[in-house]
Amino acid sequence: RGRPHEAARRIAQALPRMAEIGGSHAQRDFFEQARLEALLRAQAWPQAQQILEERRRFDPGGAPLNRTLARVYRALGLPAQAAAAEARVPT
């Protein structure tokens, strides 16, 4: 509906309770990805950066992840970090 801030907020509220309703790891990951997408659309760069950095611990060389992280760093005015993220993308 064009309200990414609200979507991110509502998903964040639901995430801690996923286990209570039987949410699997895959389902939780899906909702975390949906929250990240909402944050990116809302241009909530600091929150998106935190999620991306957490995900990078498990997939340090992931091309899509590092491309998105570079985009977020550029938006935050951090060109050196953006370049480092882009350098992690395999060619």
Side-chain angles (χ1 to χ4, degrees):
R1 294 184 177 161
R3 298 188 309 250
H5 280 97
E6 182 180 346
R9 182 181 57 79
R10 288 183 178 217
I11 293 169
Q13 288 174 333
L15 279 172
R17 303 198 67 192
M18 288 288 293
E20 292 177 28
I21 60 172
S24 68
H25 291 291
Q27 289 167 326
R28 182 174 173 84
D29 185 59
F30 173 79
F31 280 97
E32 286 176 350
Q33 288 180 41
R35 178 175 178 237
L36 175 60
E37 182 62 29
L39 290 169
L40 292 169
R41 289 180 186 213
Q43 298 181 352
W45 308 123
Q47 296 93 331
Q49 177 201 3
Q50 289 176 337
I51 291 170
L52 288 164
E53 286 292 356
E54 180 67 27
R55 294 179 77 84
R56 191 167 72 92
R57 290 185 346 160
F58 299 101
D59 186 17
L65 186 146
N66 280 294
R67 282 189 196 106
T68 304
L69 192 54
R71 175 180 152 211
V72 168
Y73 278 134
R74 280 193 298 277
L76 288 169
L78 301 168
Q81 289 86 344
E86 288 171 343
R88 289 189 294 267
V89 176
T91 56

